[in-house]
Amino acid sequence: MPLIKHGRFAADLWTVYADDAPLQPDIPAVVSLARFLAQRAALTASALDLGVRLEPGEHPQALAEALDRLALVQLHFPSFTDGRAYSYARLLRQRYRYRGEVRAVGHVLRDQYLFMARAGFDAFETPPGETAQKWRQAVRAVGPAYQPAADDRRPVWAERRTHPERAPSQ
Amino acid sequence: MALQVLTANRLRDGAVVYLSPDGSWVERVAAARAESAPEAVARLEAAGRAAVVAREVVEPYPIAVEQGEDGRLIPVRYRERIRAEGPSIRLQCDEEAA
Amino acid sequence: MYRYDAFDAAFVRQRTEQFRDQVARRLSGELTEEEFKPLRLMNGLYLQLHAYMLRVAIPYGTLDSRQLRKLAHIARTYDKGYGHFTTRQNIQFNWPALVDVPSILEELAEVEMHAIQTSGNCIRNVTADHYAGAVAGEVEDPRIWAEIIRQWSSLHPEFSFLPRKFKIAVTGTTHDRAAVKLHDIGLVLTRDAAGAVGFQVLVGGGQGRTPMVAKTLRDFLPKERLLSYLEAILRTYNLLGRRDNKYKARIKILVHEVGIEEVRRLVEAEWEAIGRETSLDLPEAERARIAAHFAPPDLTPRPAEPPALVEALATHRPFRHWLRSNVKPHRTPGYAVVDVSLKPIGGAPGDMTDAQMEALADLADRHSLGEIRVSHAQNLVLPHVAREDLPALHRGLAAAGLATGNNRLVSDIIACPGLDYCALANARSIPIAQRISERFADLDRQADIGPLEIKISGCINACGHHHVGHIGLLGVDRKGEEAYQITLGGRADENAAIGRIVGPAFDADGAVAAVETIVETYLEERLGPDESFLAAVERLGLAPFKARLYPDKRAA
């Protein structure tokens, strides 16, 4: 799966481990929430780069105290129709002030990038054949944002007041 | 097996269509290709899947038909009759045009 | 009414271009139907029984004449010359080609309209009282808040893939015409003891296969905190709403399963946390900017009984019927709110031709400041008509076939498209409505029967609101035949109630006859003309109706 991070293709240095697979030294490791919680002391004491993968139903509150130690949180979309991860991404960014990578994995489609980017995702496992240019087009497809979210877009109601000239020309 | 034809909606405009004997999609159920042998119905369904891939139609499925007194094909279920013949109600615009 | 600024216009244009690209990708094969379906649904495009169907949003049911003319143009140019107004204040076109839809959306954008979020598992078009801003007794115009919600919910990054669709309705008066208790969230504008304006917040109402009346989540929410509170409800629902079964995915099921107290605790906790993190609530200046668009029109009081009206009343019977049932008091003396019936005797409820749309647009310009409303009962409204104009307006409406004087009477039937159009339906709705309407064609008889709301759905999804009809008819498939189950005593107002089933379903002929039997029973049993059908049903219960409908069964 091609990985797009901050709008550019990036090498994926992470390995997702099954719960019973031994972790290899020096390879950045993504583990399930269950494994992370079960082996938390050992994992956080290790020198490994650590990431956790959350499934729908796994609220990021479970990680709240450990986020400083995590370089990556993967939010899994088993199906693009399950929208819980949008809430998780916003909670990670806005409630738990997480600054690491929030990556969308699983059933990730181009027409969701805009929603995902606004909700706080900064990395995307994209379908085969995706290009960085198409990714950027999709994220910019609709410019004005009516509500504040986890990205840096100012909502329309704020722009109206302070920067009316920024309204996109037709 | 009862007599079956394959129906779908055309991708570009959504029109109700039926697979005809020459493999084209036609708007009249009476011009559809009807089959009763299970393997022949399976071939209709395979042709439908191919037409989906070819972006001609969406959501193909077989329906049961019977032959009316004049030999014309008529869908068995009332849902499919309405689909074949259009809304059963007189439309205001038809009334005005009349 | 609200007018787009450059940001709103750019938003809709860019969304239209995005859909044009999506359609092109579908036609080129880049998108499969499975991938395209949710995208087209989020732009209101369905694939129905005969064709595609495009549902165009009419936010909170407010239209101007320019927009109605554009709808007429679309009906004529891209469709078969008519449109269908729905129970959610929207309009549906039944025959557009997929390849034309981007152009239709572009034409809609020219008049500040769109089809965004008229379908899909997202926050749908927000509805409001169709008399908003025209009647006395409003705390505030609910459309101000409906517009604020419309903007906030548009392409919401967190709430576009909810467990299921989500409907919000707002009313500004205690007498509810917007069926707020039958929505996922109902908002009732109210004042607290100190006179501050806020909302009573209701949650978990809905129809479909598990009809439920909404419960009160909060007695008073200060109005300036609305958006953060909505965000807290939606997040709670997005995280906890069921996703394992689409029939149990609406918020009403969450409320039912965990209880209103627990939902309240979760929402309040979420709201408190959100309040610490971000400022979602609009600043006063932006609220004032939006509210200014809904400032009441500057109307000078006019004579209440002008001579032209008195004369027409004395000499013209259809005018008398129409005045009695379709003309309602306006907040300004000498003005009226006029219901425009889309229920001609024997017609398809809610259907309107392109010519009728243009005729009504002209009449709105002449008599109602160019403003038109859509009601959830599938009628239109001219909200600001001088009483002295009523005779001329009536003549104009009559010429266009829009002057049936049957508002809220037995022939003012709500009906979903049913099996004549809808891919989900089990039975036809429109022909049943037409036959009932023809049985009761005589307006004198209708007036004698009094207020009686018949509502017909062609399947359990209940788009025809049968659960809350005074008489409800639900189409079912009974061993390959269309059949109709009848309920009595439902209502959609501030005392909302779900109707009760009278007994086994009838075939189409039997259902039409049954409605007549029910009405006859009412006329025989009522205490007098002042006791409405609904009041009689509430007093009598189902027994006398059952006894007449199923004489062989001896009231069980």
Side-chain angles (χ1 to χ4, degrees):
Chain A
M1 288 290 198
L3 176 69
I4 292 181
K5 196 174 166 183
H6 300 128
R8 294 194 176 77
F9 278 106
D12 186 0
L13 305 173
W14 294 84
T15 298
V16 180
Y17 287 92
D19 281 354
D20 53 0
L23 303 189
Q24 304 299 312
D26 301 329
I27 296 178
V30 179
V31 298
S32 71
L33 176 65
R35 181 172 190 172
F36 180 77
L37 294 177
Q39 303 172 9
R40 181 168 167 172
L43 285 169
T44 51
S46 79
L48 279 175
D49 286 342
L50 273 183
V52 172
R53 176 169 173 141
L54 295 182
E55 300 293 329
E58 296 179 342
H59 194 290
Q61 188 167 23
L63 294 174
E65 304 301 314
L67 285 170
D68 286 348
R69 179 60 184 84
L70 301 179
L72 168 68
V73 176
Q74 291 191 351
L75 298 178
H76 184 220
F77 289 84
S79 154
F80 74 90
T81 57
D82 190 326
R84 281 176 280 189
Y86 295 97
S87 289
Y88 298 158
R90 283 193 73 189
L91 287 164
L92 281 168
R93 296 296 191 207
Q94 295 182 281
R95 183 153 306 164
Y96 309 117
R97 301 283 160 196
Y98 180 60
R99 299 278 170 240
E101 177 179 331
V102 178
R103 185 187 297 187
V105 302
H107 199 188
V108 178
L109 300 173
R110 186 186 301 164
D111 301 281
Q112 297 168 272
Y113 300 157
L114 171 57
F115 297 115
M116 289 175 168
R118 295 218 60 221
F121 290 90
D122 58 357
F124 305 80
E125 261 185 26
T126 64
E130 194 57 287
T131 69
Q133 190 202 353
K134 283 178 177 171
W135 183 90
R136 282 193 296 273
Q137 277 173 0
V139 169
R140 292 172 189 164
V142 180
Y146 279 111
Q147 58 297 98
D151 59 348
D152 55 10
R153 286 189 207 196
R154 295 183 77 225
V156 162
W157 50 259
E159 293 284 90
R160 278 177 177 135
R161 289 283 136 202
T162 54
H163 297 92
E165 76 286 357
R166 284 191 197 156
S169 59
Q170 306 229 350
Chain B
M1 196 168 180
L3 212 50
Q4 311 262 309
V5 303
L6 193 75
T7 185
N9 290 83
R10 201 155 50 206
L11 173 63
R12 290 179 67 83
D13 63 3
V16 174
V17 287
Y18 303 89
L19 187 64
S20 78
D22 68 8
S24 64
W25 293 86
V26 295
E27 295 187 19
R28 288 173 45 244
V29 64
R33 172 174 166 183
E35 300 285 358
S36 57
E39 57 274 20
V41 172
R43 278 196 298 274
L44 289 182
E45 293 181 90
R49 285 191 293 274
V52 168
V53 174
R55 307 187 307 272
E56 287 180 66
V57 300
V58 292
E59 297 181 15
Y61 58 96
I63 59 166
V65 292
E66 58 196 13
Q67 288 189 312
E69 282 173 17
D70 55 0
R72 285 158 53 108
L73 296 173
I74 302 169
V76 172
R77 290 183 58 208
Y78 61 83
R79 178 187 196 272
E80 289 303 328
R81 287 189 195 176
I82 291 171
R83 229 174 131 256
E85 291 161 24
S88 66
I89 48 178
R90 194 177 44 155
L91 305 173
Q92 283 184 343
C93 48
D94 298 342
E95 203 172 324
E96 287 186 357
Chain C
M1 60 187 281
Y2 187 73
R3 297 303 303 261
Y4 285 6
D5 71 0
F7 290 98
D8 301 311
F11 178 87
V12 171
R13 297 255 177 211
Q14 291 176 6
R15 180 68 168 156
T16 301
E17 284 314 302
Q18 185 189 37
F19 190 61
R20 187 182 290 283
D21 171 64
Q22 289 165 349
V23 170
R25 284 156 61 207
R26 174 69 186 104
L27 293 171
S28 76
E30 199 181 322
L31 289 173
T32 65
E33 184 62 19
E34 190 190 6
E35 289 166 340
F36 179 61
K37 188 173 174 179
L39 304 177
R40 65 168 161 77
L41 287 177
M42 284 186 74
N43 281 286
L45 189 64
Y46 286 74
L47 183 57
Q48 285 288 26
L49 206 54
H50 307 290
Y52 290 101
M53 179 273 277
L54 179 66
R55 183 182 293 151
V56 175
I58 299 174
Y60 36 91
T62 293
L63 276 175
D64 65 22
S65 55
R66 172 189 62 127
Q67 293 173 324
L68 189 56
R69 285 193 188 93
K70 179 61 87 176
L71 296 176
H73 166 78
I74 288 168
R76 191 165 50 238
T77 310
Y78 301 100
D79 208 277
K80 294 194 176 180
Y82 67 104
H84 174 77
F85 288 96
T86 76
T87 50
R88 297 209 72 255
Q89 301 180 314
N90 294 318
I91 186 169
Q92 295 179 175
F93 293 106
N94 290 308
W95 308 92
L98 173 61
V99 291
D100 286 337
V101 172
S103 301
I104 297 174
L105 296 179
E106 199 175 304
E107 296 227 26
L108 288 168
E110 287 171 13
V111 296
E112 305 173 25
M113 295 184 81
H114 59 72
I116 298 167
Q117 290 170 214
T118 56
S119 179
N121 291 337
C122 51
I123 301 168
R124 300 288 189 89
N125 183 36
V126 182
T127 56
D129 182 357
H130 46 274
Y131 292 167
V135 290
E138 277 181 344
V139 175
E140 276 186 16
D141 191 324
R143 296 174 301 164
I144 299 165
W145 299 97
E147 174 61 25
I148 286 171
I149 297 167
R150 184 190 75 82
Q151 295 194 17
W152 161 77
S153 64
S154 290
L155 298 193
H156 197 294
E158 189 177 344
F159 306 134
S160 292
F161 298 91
L162 295 167
R164 199 75 177 84
K165 59 188 168 183
F166 203 91
K167 301 175 182 177
I168 303 175
V170 195
T171 179
T173 62
T174 45
H175 176 51
D176 175 21
R177 283 171 290 260
V180 298
K181 290 191 169 177
L182 298 156
H183 283 75
D184 295 286
I185 293 177
L187 297 169
V188 183
L189 277 154
T190 185
R191 287 180 194 279
D192 69 3
V197 174
F199 297 94
Q200 182 193 12
V201 182
L202 307 165
V203 70
Q207 301 189 58
R209 72 182 58 206
T210 318
M212 290 193 188
V213 175
K215 296 186 170 66
T216 301
L217 187 60
R218 201 171 219 277
D219 286 316
F220 186 82
L221 173 73
K223 66 175 185 181
E224 60 277 5
R225 302 297 313 280
L226 177 66
L227 292 185
S228 57
Y229 197 73
L230 291 180
E231 192 126 330
I233 300 174
L234 266 296
R235 180 173 288 166
T236 302
Y237 170 57
N238 191 42
L239 292 176
L240 298 178
R242 285 180 62 170
R243 291 176 186 265
D244 58 328
N245 178 341
K246 72 180 270 196
Y247 300 115
K248 295 187 173 177
R250 295 285 290 271
I251 197 172
K252 62 189 175 188
I253 303 294
L254 179 67
V255 172
H256 180 72
E257 289 184 348
V258 312
I260 186 70
E261 295 79 14
E262 177 65 3
V263 171
R264 185 179 298 125
R265 191 187 66 75
L266 292 165
V267 168
E268 295 281 331
E270 189 63 41
W271 187 42
E272 206 177 301
I274 287 173
R276 286 194 300 268
E277 292 155 14
T278 59
S279 57
L280 286 166
D281 293 309
L282 295 185
E284 165 62 28
E286 174 68 358
R287 280 187 278 123
R289 185 190 74 85
I290 291 173
H293 287 286
F294 299 96
D298 189 14
L299 300 173
T300 319
R302 311 286 303 171
E305 303 297 330
L309 187 148
V310 174
E311 194 203 326
L313 204 51
T315 59
H316 194 210
R317 247 159 84 94
F319 181 75
R320 212 153 50 227
H321 279 297
W322 179 78
L323 190 81
R324 187 167 49 197
S325 65
N326 290 37
V327 176
K328 310 287 156 63
H330 193 274
R331 60 195 289 167
T332 308
Y335 282 81
V337 180
V338 174
D339 288 296
V340 176
S341 176
L342 297 184
K343 319 289 177 66
I345 300 302
D351 275 12
M352 194 176 199
T353 66
D354 58 334
Q356 287 178 317
M357 292 180 205
E358 283 177 342
L360 189 69
D362 290 347
L363 290 168
D365 281 339
R366 211 171 304 146
H367 302 294
S368 183
L369 309 175
E371 211 181 298
I372 302 110
R373 306 290 178 77
V374 185
S375 81
H376 84 267
Q378 301 177 289
N379 290 310
L380 302 185
V381 175
L382 296 179
H384 309 295
V385 182
R387 286 178 66 83
E388 61 204 356
D389 285 3
L390 289 172
L393 173 61
H394 182 259
R395 283 193 298 276
L397 290 172
L402 296 168
T404 314
N406 61 349
N407 191 252
R408 299 196 63 228
L409 299 180
V410 62
S411 66
D412 186 6
I413 299 168
I414 291 180
C416 72
L419 192 52
D420 285 300
Y421 294 97
C422 180
L424 299 174
N426 289 318
R428 283 171 284 182
S429 305
I430 298 169
I432 300 296
Q434 290 175 317
R435 289 174 60 188
I436 294 171
S437 165
E438 279 160 359
R439 287 251 184 156
F440 293 96
D442 178 7
L443 283 174
D444 284 325
R445 186 177 174 212
Q446 292 194 40
D448 177 45
I449 296 164
L452 205 178
E453 298 175 4
I454 299 179
K455 305 185 180 185
I456 309 174
S457 302
C459 78
I460 193 61
N461 291 309
C463 297
H465 293 187
H466 66 277
H467 292 300
V468 292
H470 300 171
I471 300 176
L473 283 86
L474 165 65
V476 296
D477 181 326
R478 195 173 58 187
K479 295 178 186 142
E481 299 290 331
E482 294 165 287
Y484 299 86
Q485 192 176 70
I486 295 184
T487 51
L488 292 180
R491 58 195 296 175
D493 61 6
E494 62 278 12
N495 298 310
I498 308 300
R500 287 176 294 157
I501 298 168
V502 292
F506 298 89
D507 65 13
D509 291 340
V512 174
V515 169
E516 195 154 28
T517 302
I518 291 164
V519 172
E520 281 165 9
T521 308
Y522 155 66
L523 292 173
E524 287 162 21
E525 298 280 346
R526 70 181 177 185
L527 298 174
D530 289 340
E531 188 181 44
S532 68
F533 176 83
L534 193 57
V537 171
E538 287 170 357
R539 175 176 59 84
L540 293 162
L542 298 189
F545 299 96
K546 282 184 171 180
R548 288 283 297 275
L549 288 170
Y550 307 99
D552 300 337
K553 292 209 170 161
R554 299 314 307 158

